[in-house]
Amino acid sequence: MRVEWRVFRAQARPVPEPLATPRVLGAANAGALAAVALLGVCGLLTDPETVLAVLCALAVGLGVCARLVAAPGIAVVCWIFLNWAAINPRWQLSWAGYPEAGRIGFLLAAAVLGTVIARISHARRAYRRTTAGGG
């Protein structure tokens, strides 16, 4: 009887599953509220571009852990807080036409960018895991 020793490698880990859309939208609500509150404490709500930049960064961060389907929801939730807190008239929702569409476009692009970054990163890691053992 012959014993053959083999190294048992761990199975290739699958690509991480994105978070469920309701969780991501809940995090968007909480994160946007916290961001607006923090900017209000710092006195930065008077500059809509700063608020837009902060909410775009939040949208990228949320997009990293979300499915692509959640990107429009993330954009709309962040826009609601942007429009409600930083755009005149304050503390009420309003629609100013093209500027609002542009702001929603920026937020949507940020959420999609976060999702694309995550997918490319996961694909590269998965490719490295599968080719490292075979070469």
Side-chain angles (χ1 to χ4, degrees):
M1 181 165 124
R2 182 174 169 198
V3 176
E4 188 172 317
W5 292 96
R6 292 186 185 180
V7 177
F8 283 96
R9 294 192 126 171
Q11 290 284 5
R13 291 174 292 169
V15 174
E17 187 71 25
L19 292 177
T21 302
R23 282 190 178 185
V24 173
L25 294 181
N29 276 313
L33 180 62
V36 166
L38 182 65
L39 289 171
V41 168
C42 295
L44 296 174
L45 284 181
T46 57
D47 185 20
E49 287 80 19
T50 303
V51 180
L52 179 62
V54 169
L55 290 176
C56 279
L58 175 68
V60 169
L62 289 168
V64 167
C65 59
R67 292 180 165 83
L68 187 59
V69 177
I74 294 169
V76 168
V77 167
C78 290
W79 172 80
I80 287 171
F81 281 95
L82 170 70
N83 189 298
W84 174 68
I87 307 297
N88 288 326
R90 284 220 179 99
W91 314 120
Q92 27 179 319
L93 289 177
S94 63
W95 182 262
Y98 289 114
E100 300 302 327
R103 292 177 184 119
I104 289 176
F106 274 117
L107 291 164
L108 180 61
V112 169
L113 176 68
T115 304
V116 168
I117 288 170
R119 296 303 161 261
I120 290 172
S121 173
H122 294 323
R124 288 186 68 191
R125 278 191 247 139
Y127 176 75
R128 286 185 184 145
R129 282 193 305 262
T130 57
T131 58

